[in-house]
Amino acid sequence: MGTGTAPDVPAPRAVRWLAAVRWLAAVRPFLRPLVRRRTALVGPSRPDQLRALVAVLDEAVAAQRPADEAVAACGEPGPLSRGAARDCGQQSIALHRLRARLQDVGTTDPDLVAAQARAVRLLAYDLWMLRASMNLAFTVRPVDRTEAARLRLNGLGRPADDLRRLRDTLRAELSET
């Protein structure tokens, strides 16, 4: 113990921290040239965002007509054809892809973000309606209550009209700019 050497006790936390700070201060000048500063990216302008949003909404509204017909076909009385199931499936895929594209539109303007979110919700309703109509039309165990609900199916309903109105409003705003 009296040899004059330091004991085998680790250095206190403050000493280790001070050593790390000194090491970083010594290395920092050499690291600076390696680090590039990122320039701030400027996003698309509001008219460009509006154009992109309206373009996808135009496709979504165009896809609603066959989806509406597929839902209505599920509500027709009598036995349903395999074609009705195929049409519902194809329309479901098309609307799902459009919904994904709509979610990927890069909007940053708060008004357009809100309109985009509303359009996504309306397309989600269309997808739900297609799925529900297929479940009602092609059930394994048909019961009177299920059959009565199926016969009331006649299309996508008011949310489809709301999506059209939203698209028309955004298109009118686009024509003003």
Side-chain angles (χ1 to χ4, degrees), residues 81-101:
S81 67
R82 280 186 251 149
R86 184 186 65 241
D87 292 343
C88 281
Q90 288 173 346
Q91 296 313 312
S92 181
I93 291 168
L95 288 181
H96 180 72
R97 287 179 179 162
L98 282 168
R99 182 172 173 249
R101 284 185 49 211

Side-chain angles (χ1 to χ4, degrees), residues 35-49:
V35 177
R36 294 183 190 166
R37 292 200 181 261
R38 292 186 180 182
T39 57
L41 297 176
V42 178
S45 65
R46 178 179 165 79
D48 290 340
Q49 293 176 29

Side-chain angles (χ1 to χ4, degrees), residues 53-71:
L53 187 58
V54 168
V56 177
L57 285 176
D58 283 339
E59 291 181 48
V61 168
Q64 278 185 326
R65 183 178 184 97
D68 189 61
E69 292 171 356
V71 170

Side-chain angles (χ1 to χ4, degrees), residues 125-141:
Y125 172 81
D126 292 349
L127 284 165
W128 175 83
M129 191 66 187
L130 276 165
R131 172 62 85 186
S133 64
M134 284 192 294
N135 287 344
L136 288 172
F138 301 102
T139 183
V140 176
R141 296 183 190 111

